[in-house]
Amino acid sequence: MTSPRWWLLVLALFGATKGEWNTKDYMKREHSLIRPYQAAGMTIPYWDFGGSTMVTNNYVRLTPDLQSKQGSLWNSVPCHVRNWELQVHFKVHGAGKDLFGDGFAIWYAKDRMELGPVFGNKDFFQGLAIILDTYSNHNGPHNHQHPYISAMVNNGSLHYDHDRDGTHTQLEGCEAKFRNLDHDTHIAIRYEKDTLTVSTDIANKAAWKECLSVKGIRLPTGYYFGISATTGDLSDNHDVISVRLFELDLPNDVKDNEDRSNILPSATYFESPREHVDDPKPSSMSGIKMFFLMLVAALALITAVVIGIMYYQKHQENSRKRFY
Ligand SMILES: [Ca+2]
């Protein structure tokens, strides 16, 4: 994957400050958030924020490290770019060593600025969510460790199930230890020719590592980019340092003039869903009760077998009598 971030580093070394790279990918200023954020007063050009979100000179804090907070940050300009890469420089940190949460989500969605239960955004959303879940709500057997990054596409009909950490609606996911790191942490969401690829740069190597890649994703144009976060009983600071959107230049791409402004978001391939079984309830039966129940069941089974054999033998005798 070609990475505009490499060029960012190269340009930084040469002291270049223009938002236009040497590649043919263009950064779209109206969908990006770069320091200094505030032009005048308390507003950020092209961005709105709500809930607990606080803007400082160096970061936008969606939630502080306090319980029961929800915050969001939304681009106010709908995105009409067909192939894009969104890069988010973020920092999740807090005092909790073992207990922290809940995480944050990056959105490309139809509706904006609606706080709700899905990492600070509304449920039954229309669009794409990249979820960076730091807390495992699921006590049963899990396929993965947390923090966990996953992708979800929703046409408005799917519910995000926190009890299963969204595992039965996710497209794909990966484990990513991005919390409480001293170095910078980045995520890139690339949407190119209906393929969604999510990569992380959290190992302080200035290189992208692929987390997930899914083909057959159809997203409408004209949706909004946003980021939201939430804390519950557990908490963390969820900070956004920058957001950069690049329009991808695909020179060999046959011009596709399909009007995508009115389609519903859809995904061709979902991860084979894990069965939605309830966690085993702790048995209210004591061991002795259980033993007797098993004993009675065993006796009943033996009795049934014995009766069955007797009946069979009798039947055989009768048949023989009939035949001979
Ligand atoms: Ca969770």
Side-chain angles (χ1 to χ4, degrees):
M1 156 170 155
T2 55
S3 168
R5 225 175 88 70
W6 270 111
W7 287 106
L8 178 66
L9 288 170
V10 171
L11 288 175
L13 285 174
F14 287 99
T17 52
K18 286 276 178 208
E20 226 173 65
W21 315 137
N22 237 350
T23 67
K24 289 281 172 58
D25 297 340
Y26 290 99
M27 194 180 84
K28 305 290 275 186
R29 188 65 188 86
E30 68 272 30
H31 301 302
S32 300
L33 175 85
I34 303 159
R35 279 181 292 190
Y37 310 121
Q38 278 147 310
M42 276 305 290
T43 60
I44 313 175
Y46 311 120
W47 295 84
D48 294 319
F49 49 96
S52 56
T53 300
M54 221 184 63
V55 183
T56 74
N57 288 334
N58 297 315
Y59 53 82
V60 177
R61 179 156 290 169
L62 301 171
T63 75
D65 192 1
L66 294 169
Q67 291 183 323
S68 306
K69 299 287 178 192
Q70 283 188 352
S72 69
L73 172 72
W74 282 93
N75 193 200
S76 57
V77 184
C79 177
H80 296 289
V81 174
R82 177 72 175 267
N83 297 288
W84 46 260
E85 179 167 324
L86 186 76
Q87 298 180 0
V88 179
H89 179 187
F90 66 92
K91 189 171 179 67
V92 177
H93 57 113
K97 279 217 163 60
D98 302 311
L99 294 171
F100 43 83
D102 292 331
F104 72 106
I106 302 169
W107 304 91
Y108 176 66
K110 185 181 185 188
D111 301 314
R112 56 193 290 279
M113 297 297 287
E114 290 183 45
L115 295 175
V118 187
F119 297 90
N121 192 39
K122 63 176 265 182
D123 199 3
F124 299 102
F125 60 94
Q126 279 185 41
L128 167 74
I130 304 300
I131 296 165
L132 293 91
D133 188 353
T134 47
Y135 175 67
S136 171
N137 301 67
H138 192 58
N139 293 321
H142 229 322
N143 304 350
H144 56 76
Q145 301 279 308
H146 278 247
Y148 189 73
I149 300 175
S150 65
M152 176 176 174
V153 165
N154 198 347
N155 60 12
S157 69
L158 297 175
H159 159 61
Y160 179 86
D161 187 353
H162 275 287
D163 293 341
R164 298 292 171 275
D165 289 308
T167 43
H168 65 278
T169 48
Q170 78 182 33
L171 300 171
E172 238 182 80
C174 78
E175 294 168 13
K177 302 247 176 296
F178 55 76
R179 188 184 170 274
N180 264 3
L181 298 174
D182 290 329
H183 53 263
D184 292 345
T185 46
H186 303 259
I187 184 168
I189 302 158
R190 190 177 179 94
Y191 182 58
E192 180 183 359
K193 293 190 221 169
D194 296 348
T195 296
L196 174 75
T197 307
V198 175
S199 308
T200 57
D201 174 4
I202 56 176
N204 205 15
K205 288 179 182 163
W208 295 114
K209 183 182 173 223
E210 188 175 302
C211 162
L212 62 91
S213 186
V214 194
K215 290 185 177 123
I217 308 286
R218 283 168 59 83
L219 296 173
T221 50
Y223 277 19
Y224 296 94
F225 290 109
I227 308 178
S228 67
T230 191
T231 65
D233 290 339
L234 304 171
S235 65
D236 252 336
N237 297 297
H238 295 97
D239 299 346
V240 176
I241 291 116
S242 73
V243 179
R244 288 181 167 84
L245 183 91
F246 298 91
E247 175 169 14
L248 303 180
D249 182 66
L250 308 171
N252 299 323
D253 198 17
V254 180
K255 262 280 172 278
D256 180 355
N257 292 321
E258 183 194 348
D259 179 12
R260 287 262 176 121
S261 56
N262 288 311
I263 65 162
L264 276 177
S266 68
T268 314
Y269 311 102
F270 277 84
E271 205 168 57
S272 50
R274 294 192 315 132
E275 286 208 33
H276 190 131
V277 284
D278 287 328
D279 292 335
K281 293 270 182 302
S283 178
S284 56
M285 229 179 287
S286 71
I288 291 176
K289 258 191 200 162
M290 198 66 174
F291 173 76
F292 278 108
L293 198 73
M294 297 292 279
L295 193 68
V296 168
L299 286 174
L301 191 71
I302 290 165
T303 310
V305 169
V306 168
I307 289 172
I309 290 169
M310 282 167 71
Y311 177 81
Y312 178 76
Q313 282 176 339
K314 187 123 181 150
H315 186 76
Q316 288 288 63
E317 276 168 28
N318 286 345
S319 326
R320 255 180 253 131
K321 271 174 203 160
R322 239 179 273 133
F323 279 112
Y324 297 101

